[in-house]
Amino acid sequence: LLVMHKVDELHAHLNGSVSFSTIEKLVARKPHLNIEHGMTAIRSGQRRTLDECFQVFKVIHQLVDTEEDILMVAKDVIREFAADGVKYLELRSTPRKEKTTGMTKRRYVETVIEAIRQCKNEGVDIEVRFLVAVDRRNGAEVAMETVKLAEDFMLSTGGLVVGLDLSGDPTVGHGRDFLPALQKAKNCGLKLSLHLSEVPSQADESELLLNIPPDRIGHGTFLHPEVGGSQSLVDKVRKHNTPLELCLTSNVKGQTVSSYSQHHFLYWYQMGHPSVICTDDKGVFCTDLSQEYQLAASTFNLSQEDMWTLSHKAIDCTFAPDLQQQLHQKWLELQPTLFQL
Ligand SMILES: CC(C)=CCNc1ncnc2c1ncn2[C@@H]1O[C@H](COP(=O)(O)O)[C@@H](O)[C@H]1O
Ligand SMILES: [Zn+2]
């Protein structure tokens, strides 16, 4: 596959982005866990239920449970995105406390920030920002604590922490429980990216969450009327011009979308709505951003120029307004090479 030009990756979960080679290093550190690669990734042609996909994260979390692991994983993931040609990356991750190793949530975030700084110092050609993630499974109280943590880091990291993500198994809990935490995050200046309508029959929840409103939407697979959403949901998204983060391989392998050609990318793209192609979990789903761009291009018959435009428009959807001008410049410089492919 050729490396396609793209400027930014806006939807990448750290522990879902761990590559095969990093998994091998982790397995070598923890041979007693008896973990094989088949347990941490879903290969091409394979499909899993959503439930099975979430089991995969549990296995990876067992492998990544010390500060050392987090540092290595985050640095490897950042280098891999850079090697794929990504110039701006927003990573997201759920701070985890591990009693057995003494890792705290605060140290977890500090370690990710340290990885970002080290990559920068080592000259890796990519800008990285961080979103602190709230896992729905852990409930409203933890969500509120996480917002406080995110706010502290937003203030102490000189703008490396830019936002908050709401993710985790969409079938667990209800969005209404997280409204106070999300509202607080928004009020203190954190940008919000919310996983929304990732599974069917969540119109009520999506309605509530869209009223906040979020700054970006993850997936939004079942928002539009043809798939059981509603015109009112679509209207809300359009009214605020809220960008969608779309992850083709993730949705097909997780079976919320039946095939690539059925992906809701087309619905929003044809409407001219801001849509950004993302990987979600490049390690778990065995993909990278170039491959996702390639898939979108071949599935929907888009030209290189269409893809360039798509990628260019994604710059306006980032949570780092201070970098947008620089990224636009970078893109203009890269444009001529695109048409030689
Ligand atoms: C099952 C499936 C199709 C996954 C893709 N869709 C997803 N939907 C919701 N939350 C997710 C998804 N992928 C990753 N995550 C979240 O990201 C976590 C892994 O990265 P991290 O530990 O936060 O660094 C998971 O435990 C989960 O909370
Ligand atoms: Zn996601």
Side-chain angles (χ1 to χ4, degrees), residues 11 13 92 165 167 195 198 219 247 280-281:
H11 188 132
H13 300 272
R92 56 185 81 191
D165 149 271
S167 55
H195 284 63
E198 189 179 358
H219 304 298
C247 314
D280 209 10
D281 300 289

Side-chain angles (χ1 to χ4, degrees), residues 237 241-246 268 271-276 310 313 317:
V237 175
N241 209 28
T242 316
L244 288 157
E245 304 155 355
L246 301 177
W268 295 97
M271 212 151 54
H273 188 83
S275 313
V276 186
L310 198 62
K313 284 188 175 163
C317 304

